[in-house]
Amino acid sequence: MERIVLGDVEIIRVVEYQGPFVPAERIVPGLRETAWSGAGADGAPALAPEHYDPASGAYIGALQTWVVRSGGRTVLVDTGVGNGRERPSTPMFHRREGRFPELLAAAGVRPEEVDVVVNTHLHADHVGWNTTEKDGGWAPMFPNAEYYLPAADRAFFDPAAKHAARDGGAVDPQRWAEWDLVFEDSVAPVLAAGQAVEWSGSLRLDSALVLEEAPGHTPGSSVLRVDSGGERAVFVGDLMHSPVQLAHPSCSSCFCLDQAQAAASRLRILERAAAERELVIPAHFAGAGAARVSRQGAGFAADWVR
């Protein structure tokens, strides 16, 4: 279990899954194989074996939650996939049975002790453990927590919403069907319980933690900044899925709804991280999972924190 201390803030990594996902060429469209292998002038430093499997060509990633202890409170950053969810379009997530509650307990966290849940955005692998099965339905897993949801994502993904993106056919109807399932079992119960806090722009959680919008991956994608004792970090959610995007920051993942806007947000966040020596903590990096970045040509180099 990985532990990082920044000033008065403690950060603990809870890994729900780490291993191969989809073919690397699919996860970040437009990149040649050399960008993953490190071969050739356009390649990043070799990503194998922690982030890429050259034998199968698979992208290696992680599903994880970060426990942040700040100002006497326990904060969770994203909540993974969850168990027993209907995700027919995503076999890896479909009716999954994992050990997340046990892993959280091993990190010293009981559900009733969680004060704040931050969903950087409302995709299935960031909200799944928001809720748990109860009396044949779904209820908030963390009964005493406030759940911070990006208002733009709530407006976009809510099945009750009527907007051009839903009705205009710009997104595959199958994706909408699965997003509706995600909202129903992992977001709506939190709203119904009165535990949701919708926010936009930026929002300070305490003296060390600030939420900021970084749209593109989804309309409400956000980052969480940490500033304590002169040390800084930024939880970047799905602004990046792989370190290959450090070397190629203009390349967005296949999951980004607005590729150009996601790239602009990524570059802005990475530029600031490099300038201010912020530790970059993405949602899906395997291996060390966090890095300090510096400018290197048109992209960025990583100094892994282990």
Side-chain angles (χ1 to χ4, degrees):
M1 189 168 291
E2 200 169 318
R3 179 176 178 267
I4 301 167
V5 176
L6 301 172
D8 295 325
V9 175
E10 179 187 36
I11 300 168
I12 299 173
R13 183 187 190 190
V14 178
V15 180
E16 187 176 2
Y17 168 83
Q18 186 165 273
F21 280 76
V22 298
E25 63 184 18
R26 177 184 161 195
I27 199 82
V28 185
L31 285 179
R32 290 185 289 177
E33 190 275 337
T34 52
W36 292 90
S37 66
D42 68 340
L47 299 170
E50 292 186 330
H51 309 284
Y52 172 67
D53 177 16
S56 66
Y59 154 71
I60 305 295
L63 301 171
Q64 54 205 1
T65 293
W66 296 88
V67 178
V68 180
R69 291 194 170 99
S70 175
R73 297 196 298 174
T74 298
V75 179
L76 301 186
V77 182
D78 291 324
T79 62
V81 173
N83 281 356
R85 314 295 160 133
E86 294 295 319
R87 306 287 186 259
S89 297
T90 313
M92 177 175 277
F93 301 165
H94 187 53
R95 299 178 182 175
R96 183 177 174 80
E97 294 299 327
R99 298 176 52 248
F100 180 78
E102 297 168 46
L103 297 172
L104 202 60
V109 180
R110 295 185 298 173
E112 62 270 22
E113 296 172 337
V114 175
D115 300 291
V116 171
V117 174
V118 170
N119 296 138
T120 58
H121 61 290
L122 301 187
H123 276 167
D125 51 336
H126 294 258
V127 300
W129 284 105
N130 280 1
T131 59
T132 188
E133 286 190 89
K134 183 178 180 181
D135 300 328
W138 299 99
M141 182 172 177
F142 308 104
N144 300 314
E146 292 183 311
Y147 290 71
Y148 286 79
L149 315 179
D153 267 16
R154 190 277 168 86
F156 183 82
F157 289 110
D158 191 334
K162 298 295 182 183
H163 48 65
R166 180 174 285 271
D167 299 330
V171 177
D172 184 340
Q174 191 174 44
R175 294 183 76 181
W176 277 120
E178 186 141 321
W179 288 339
D180 289 349
L181 291 172
V182 173
F183 198 94
E184 179 183 351
D185 61 42
S186 299
V187 179
V190 173
L191 293 165
Q195 292 177 235
V197 178
E198 297 182 52
W199 66 277
S200 58
S202 65
L203 179 70
R204 179 168 290 279
L205 299 180
D206 63 24
S207 61
L209 305 179
V210 177
L211 283 165
E212 295 180 6
E213 290 181 335
H217 181 66
T218 66
S221 286
S222 61
V223 301
L224 176 67
R225 295 196 181 279
V226 181
D227 188 344
S228 179
E231 298 186 83
R232 297 178 177 177
V234 56
F235 293 88
V236 300
D238 280 6
L239 278 183
M240 291 183 290
H241 277 73
S242 166
V244 77
Q245 292 171 283
L246 290 171
H248 302 273
S250 64
C251 295
S252 295
S253 81
C254 62
F255 306 112
C256 292
L257 290 175
D258 187 324
Q259 300 263 317
Q261 189 180 42
S265 289
R266 183 181 312 110
L267 185 60
R268 174 174 57 84
I269 296 300
L270 289 175
E271 289 277 17
R272 177 170 165 175
E276 301 190 6
R277 297 296 294 160
E278 290 180 320
L279 181 64
V280 175
I281 308 177
H284 295 299
F285 280 19
R292 298 196 187 278
V293 301
S294 57
R295 260 297 186 183
Q296 181 173 285
F300 299 84
D303 180 13
W304 300 107
V305 173
R306 300 183 183 275

